[in-house]
PDB file of all heavy atoms in Angstrom:
ATOM      1  N   HIS B 132    -123.579-148.928 108.216  1.00  0.00           N
ATOM      2  CA  HIS B 132    -122.737-147.741 108.309  1.00  0.00           C
ATOM      3  C   HIS B 132    -123.064-146.766 107.183  1.00  0.00           C
ATOM      4  O   HIS B 132    -123.220-147.178 106.030  1.00  0.00           O
ATOM      5  CB  HIS B 132    -121.260-148.120 108.221  1.00  0.00           C
ATOM      6  CG  HIS B 132    -120.816-149.069 109.292  1.00  0.00           C
ATOM      7  ND1 HIS B 132    -120.613-148.682 110.594  1.00  0.00           N
ATOM      8  CD2 HIS B 132    -120.547-150.399 109.249  1.00  0.00           C
ATOM      9  CE1 HIS B 132    -120.228-149.729 111.316  1.00  0.00           C
ATOM     10  NE2 HIS B 132    -120.190-150.778 110.522  1.00  0.00           N
ATOM     11  N   LEU B 133    -123.129-145.486 107.521  1.00  0.00           N
ATOM     12  CA  LEU B 133    -123.428-144.439 106.543  1.00  0.00           C
ATOM     13  C   LEU B 133    -122.250-143.477 106.434  1.00  0.00           C
ATOM     14  O   LEU B 133    -121.712-143.018 107.445  1.00  0.00           O
ATOM     15  CB  LEU B 133    -124.683-143.677 106.968  1.00  0.00           C
ATOM     16  CG  LEU B 133    -125.981-144.480 106.841  1.00  0.00           C
ATOM     17  CD1 LEU B 133    -126.966-144.080 107.910  1.00  0.00           C
ATOM     18  CD2 LEU B 133    -126.582-144.289 105.461  1.00  0.00           C
ATOM     19  N   TYR B 134    -121.892-143.194 105.208  1.00  0.00           N
ATOM     20  CA  TYR B 134    -120.793-142.278 104.919  1.00  0.00           C
ATOM     21  C   TYR B 134    -121.174-141.402 103.727  1.00  0.00           C
ATOM     22  O   TYR B 134    -122.086-141.727 102.964  1.00  0.00           O
ATOM     23  CB  TYR B 134    -119.510-143.033 104.545  1.00  0.00           C
ATOM     24  CG  TYR B 134    -119.136-144.189 105.423  1.00  0.00           C
ATOM     25  CD1 TYR B 134    -119.579-145.479 105.132  1.00  0.00           C
ATOM     26  CD2 TYR B 134    -118.316-144.012 106.534  1.00  0.00           C
ATOM     27  CE1 TYR B 134    -119.232-146.556 105.924  1.00  0.00           C
ATOM     28  CE2 TYR B 134    -117.956-145.090 107.335  1.00  0.00           C
ATOM     29  CZ  TYR B 134    -118.422-146.360 107.026  1.00  0.00           C
ATOM     30  OH  TYR B 134    -118.069-147.429 107.816  1.00  0.00           O
ATOM     31  N   ARG B 135    -120.442-140.339 103.578  1.00  0.00           N
ATOM     32  CA  ARG B 135    -120.484-139.513 102.377  1.00  0.00           C
ATOM     33  C   ARG B 135    -121.892-139.060 101.982  1.00  0.00           C
ATOM     34  O   ARG B 135    -122.266-139.101 100.821  1.00  0.00           O
ATOM     35  CB  ARG B 135    -119.822-140.254 101.198  1.00  0.00           C
ATOM     36  CG  ARG B 135    -118.309-140.137 101.168  1.00  0.00           C
ATOM     37  CD  ARG B 135    -117.951-138.661 100.895  1.00  0.00           C
ATOM     38  NE  ARG B 135    -116.511-138.466 100.778  1.00  0.00           N
ATOM     39  CZ  ARG B 135    -115.767-137.936 101.750  1.00  0.00           C
ATOM     40  NH1 ARG B 135    -116.299-137.593 102.891  1.00  0.00           N
ATOM     41  NH2 ARG B 135    -114.476-137.745 101.574  1.00  0.00           N
ATOM     42  N   LEU B 136    -122.683-138.655 103.015  1.00  0.00           N
ATOM     43  CA  LEU B 136    -123.927-137.958 102.694  1.00  0.00           C
ATOM     44  C   LEU B 136    -123.536-136.556 102.233  1.00  0.00           C
ATOM     45  O   LEU B 136    -123.060-135.746 103.028  1.00  0.00           O
ATOM     46  CB  LEU B 136    -124.849-137.891 103.909  1.00  0.00           C
ATOM     47  CG  LEU B 136    -126.151-137.113 103.705  1.00  0.00           C
ATOM     48  CD1 LEU B 136    -127.022-137.777 102.641  1.00  0.00           C
ATOM     49  CD2 LEU B 136    -126.913-136.968 105.014  1.00  0.00           C
ATOM     50  N   ALA B 137    -123.718-136.299 100.969  1.00  0.00           N
ATOM     51  CA  ALA B 137    -123.277-135.028 100.384  1.00  0.00           C
ATOM     52  C   ALA B 137    -124.330-134.550  99.394  1.00  0.00           C
ATOM     53  O   ALA B 137    -124.846-135.330  98.594  1.00  0.00           O
ATOM     54  CB  ALA B 137    -121.926-135.196  99.679  1.00  0.00           C
ATOM     55  N   VAL B 138    -124.631-133.260  99.439  1.00  0.00           N
ATOM     56  CA  VAL B 138    -125.568-132.636  98.512  1.00  0.00           C
ATOM     57  C   VAL B 138    -124.887-131.426  97.895  1.00  0.00           C
ATOM     58  O   VAL B 138    -124.211-130.661  98.593  1.00  0.00           O
ATOM     59  CB  VAL B 138    -126.874-132.218  99.229  1.00  0.00           C
ATOM     60  CG1 VAL B 138    -127.805-131.479  98.267  1.00  0.00           C
ATOM     61  CG2 VAL B 138    -127.575-133.436  99.820  1.00  0.00           C
ATOM     62  N   HIS B 139    -125.053-131.262  96.600  1.00  0.00           N
ATOM     63  CA  HIS B 139    -124.427-130.132  95.920  1.00  0.00           C
ATOM     64  C   HIS B 139    -124.877-128.821  96.566  1.00  0.00           C
ATOM     65  O   HIS B 139    -126.065-128.651  96.886  1.00  0.00           O
ATOM     66  CB  HIS B 139    -124.809-130.145  94.435  1.00  0.00           C
ATOM     67  CG  HIS B 139    -123.999-129.206  93.611  1.00  0.00           C
ATOM     68  ND1 HIS B 139    -124.227-127.839  93.580  1.00  0.00           N
ATOM     69  CD2 HIS B 139    -122.946-129.432  92.775  1.00  0.00           C
ATOM     70  CE1 HIS B 139    -123.352-127.265  92.775  1.00  0.00           C
ATOM     71  NE2 HIS B 139    -122.564-128.204  92.272  1.00  0.00           N
ATOM     72  N   PRO B 140    -123.963-127.888  96.774  1.00  0.00           N
ATOM     73  CA  PRO B 140    -124.322-126.628  97.436  1.00  0.00           C
ATOM     74  C   PRO B 140    -125.494-125.892  96.790  1.00  0.00           C
ATOM     75  O   PRO B 140    -126.259-125.214  97.493  1.00  0.00           O
ATOM     76  CB  PRO B 140    -123.025-125.800  97.343  1.00  0.00           C
ATOM     77  CG  PRO B 140    -121.939-126.822  97.274  1.00  0.00           C
ATOM     78  CD  PRO B 140    -122.508-127.972  96.502  1.00  0.00           C
ATOM     79  N   ASP B 141    -125.661-126.016  95.483  1.00  0.00           N
ATOM     80  CA  ASP B 141    -126.752-125.315  94.796  1.00  0.00           C
ATOM     81  C   ASP B 141    -128.097-126.025  94.938  1.00  0.00           C
ATOM     82  O   ASP B 141    -129.120-125.504  94.486  1.00  0.00           O
ATOM     83  CB  ASP B 141    -126.434-125.160  93.305  1.00  0.00           C
ATOM     84  CG  ASP B 141    -125.235-124.257  93.052  1.00  0.00           C
ATOM     85  OD1 ASP B 141    -124.895-123.452  93.947  1.00  0.00           O
ATOM     86  OD2 ASP B 141    -124.631-124.356  91.962  1.00  0.00           O
ATOM     87  N   HIS B 142    -128.102-127.202  95.548  1.00  0.00           N
ATOM     88  CA  HIS B 142    -129.343-127.986  95.625  1.00  0.00           C
ATOM     89  C   HIS B 142    -129.709-128.353  97.064  1.00  0.00           C
ATOM     90  O   HIS B 142    -130.539-129.239  97.269  1.00  0.00           O
ATOM     91  CB  HIS B 142    -129.202-129.256  94.792  1.00  0.00           C
ATOM     92  CG  HIS B 142    -129.092-129.012  93.329  1.00  0.00           C
ATOM     93  ND1 HIS B 142    -130.173-128.998  92.481  1.00  0.00           N
ATOM     94  CD2 HIS B 142    -128.000-128.751  92.553  1.00  0.00           C
ATOM     95  CE1 HIS B 142    -129.775-128.758  91.243  1.00  0.00           C
ATOM     96  NE2 HIS B 142    -128.467-128.602  91.266  1.00  0.00           N
ATOM     97  N   ARG B 143    -129.132-127.684  98.034  1.00  0.00           N
ATOM     98  CA  ARG B 143    -129.410-128.021  99.420  1.00  0.00           C
ATOM     99  C   ARG B 143    -130.744-127.450  99.888  1.00  0.00           C
ATOM    100  O   ARG B 143    -131.292-126.545  99.277  1.00  0.00           O
ATOM    101  CB  ARG B 143    -128.264-127.524 100.316  1.00  0.00           C
ATOM    102  CG  ARG B 143    -127.000-128.340 100.110  1.00  0.00           C
ATOM    103  CD  ARG B 143    -125.794-127.796 100.826  1.00  0.00           C
ATOM    104  NE  ARG B 143    -124.617-128.628 100.547  1.00  0.00           N
ATOM    105  CZ  ARG B 143    -123.364-128.272 100.792  1.00  0.00           C
ATOM    106  NH1 ARG B 143    -123.115-127.090 101.343  1.00  0.00           N
ATOM    107  NH2 ARG B 143    -122.370-129.084 100.495  1.00  0.00           N
ATOM    108  N   ARG B 144    -131.267-128.046 100.963  1.00  0.00           N
ATOM    109  CA  ARG B 144    -132.545-127.639 101.560  1.00  0.00           C
ATOM    110  C   ARG B 144    -133.706-127.865 100.599  1.00  0.00           C
ATOM    111  O   ARG B 144    -134.670-127.095 100.584  1.00  0.00           O
ATOM    112  CB  ARG B 144    -132.499-126.184 102.036  1.00  0.00           C
ATOM    113  CG  ARG B 144    -131.405-125.918 103.063  1.00  0.00           C
ATOM    114  CD  ARG B 144    -131.491-124.516 103.614  1.00  0.00           C
ATOM    115  NE  ARG B 144    -132.708-124.325 104.392  1.00  0.00           N
ATOM    116  CZ  ARG B 144    -132.890-124.703 105.654  1.00  0.00           C
ATOM    117  NH1 ARG B 144    -131.886-125.295 106.307  1.00  0.00           N
ATOM    118  NH2 ARG B 144    -134.031-124.502 106.274  1.00  0.00           N
ATOM    119  N   ARG B 145    -133.613-128.937  99.814  1.00  0.00           N
ATOM    120  CA  ARG B 145    -134.688-129.293  98.881  1.00  0.00           C
ATOM    121  C   ARG B 145    -135.131-130.748  99.066  1.00  0.00           C
ATOM    122  O   ARG B 145    -135.774-131.309  98.196  1.00  0.00           O
ATOM    123  CB  ARG B 145    -134.248-129.061  97.438  1.00  0.00           C
ATOM    124  CG  ARG B 145    -133.867-127.618  97.125  1.00  0.00           C
ATOM    125  CD  ARG B 145    -133.460-127.442  95.682  1.00  0.00           C
ATOM    126  NE  ARG B 145    -132.909-126.118  95.436  1.00  0.00           N
ATOM    127  CZ  ARG B 145    -132.458-125.698  94.253  1.00  0.00           C
ATOM    128  NH1 ARG B 145    -132.515-126.523  93.205  1.00  0.00           N
ATOM    129  NH2 ARG B 145    -131.961-124.491  94.110  1.00  0.00           N
ATOM    130  N   GLY B 146    -134.763-131.353 100.173  1.00  0.00           N
ATOM    131  CA  GLY B 146    -135.199-132.715 100.448  1.00  0.00           C
ATOM    132  C   GLY B 146    -134.330-133.801  99.871  1.00  0.00           C
ATOM    133  O   GLY B 146    -134.662-134.982  99.979  1.00  0.00           O
ATOM    134  N   ILE B 147    -133.190-133.444  99.262  1.00  0.00           N
ATOM    135  CA  ILE B 147    -132.340-134.457  98.626  1.00  0.00           C
ATOM    136  C   ILE B 147    -131.692-135.349  99.673  1.00  0.00           C
ATOM    137  O   ILE B 147    -131.667-136.577  99.539  1.00  0.00           O
ATOM    138  CB  ILE B 147    -131.281-133.774  97.738  1.00  0.00           C
ATOM    139  CG1 ILE B 147    -131.957-133.047  96.582  1.00  0.00           C
ATOM    140  CG2 ILE B 147    -130.274-134.804  97.208  1.00  0.00           C
ATOM    141  CD1 ILE B 147    -131.027-132.194  95.750  1.00  0.00           C
ATOM    142  N   GLY B 148    -131.165-134.752 100.738  1.00  0.00           N
ATOM    143  CA  GLY B 148    -130.567-135.553 101.798  1.00  0.00           C
ATOM    144  C   GLY B 148    -131.580-136.492 102.435  1.00  0.00           C
ATOM    145  O   GLY B 148    -131.272-137.655 102.712  1.00  0.00           O
ATOM    146  N   SER B 149    -132.806-136.014 102.641  1.00  0.00           N
ATOM    147  CA  SER B 149    -133.855-136.858 103.211  1.00  0.00           C
ATOM    148  C   SER B 149    -134.187-138.028 102.297  1.00  0.00           C
ATOM    149  O   SER B 149    -134.406-139.153 102.758  1.00  0.00           O
ATOM    150  CB  SER B 149    -135.114-136.026 103.469  1.00  0.00           C
ATOM    151  OG  SER B 149    -134.870-135.030 104.438  1.00  0.00           O
ATOM    152  N   ALA B 150    -134.227-137.775 100.993  1.00  0.00           N
ATOM    153  CA  ALA B 150    -134.517-138.842 100.035  1.00  0.00           C
ATOM    154  C   ALA B 150    -133.413-139.890 100.040  1.00  0.00           C
ATOM    155  O   ALA B 150    -133.686-141.099  99.986  1.00  0.00           O
ATOM    156  CB  ALA B 150    -134.693-138.255  98.637  1.00  0.00           C
ATOM    157  N   LEU B 151    -132.169-139.461 100.122  1.00  0.00           N
ATOM    158  CA  LEU B 151    -131.050-140.397 100.156  1.00  0.00           C
ATOM    159  C   LEU B 151    -131.081-141.244 101.425  1.00  0.00           C
ATOM    160  O   LEU B 151    -130.863-142.466 101.379  1.00  0.00           O
ATOM    161  CB  LEU B 151    -129.724-139.638 100.057  1.00  0.00           C
ATOM    162  CG  LEU B 151    -129.373-139.104  98.670  1.00  0.00           C
ATOM    163  CD1 LEU B 151    -128.281-138.041  98.771  1.00  0.00           C
ATOM    164  CD2 LEU B 151    -128.915-140.240  97.752  1.00  0.00           C
ATOM    165  N   LEU B 152    -131.355-140.619 102.556  1.00  0.00           N
ATOM    166  CA  LEU B 152    -131.393-141.375 103.805  1.00  0.00           C
ATOM    167  C   LEU B 152    -132.590-142.322 103.850  1.00  0.00           C
ATOM    168  O   LEU B 152    -132.497-143.408 104.429  1.00  0.00           O
ATOM    169  CB  LEU B 152    -131.406-140.422 104.994  1.00  0.00           C
ATOM    170  CG  LEU B 152    -130.101-139.661 105.229  1.00  0.00           C
ATOM    171  CD1 LEU B 152    -130.238-138.719 106.419  1.00  0.00           C
ATOM    172  CD2 LEU B 152    -128.934-140.619 105.446  1.00  0.00           C
TER     173      LEU B 152
END
Side-chain angles (χ1 to χ4, degrees):
H132 301 285
L133 290 148
Y134 314 91
R135 277 294 183 257
L136 177 63
V138 176
H139 192 282
D141 295 339
H142 293 268
R143 289 173 181 165
R144 302 186 66 81
R145 300 181 189 179
I147 295 172
S149 296
L151 285 163
L152 290 179

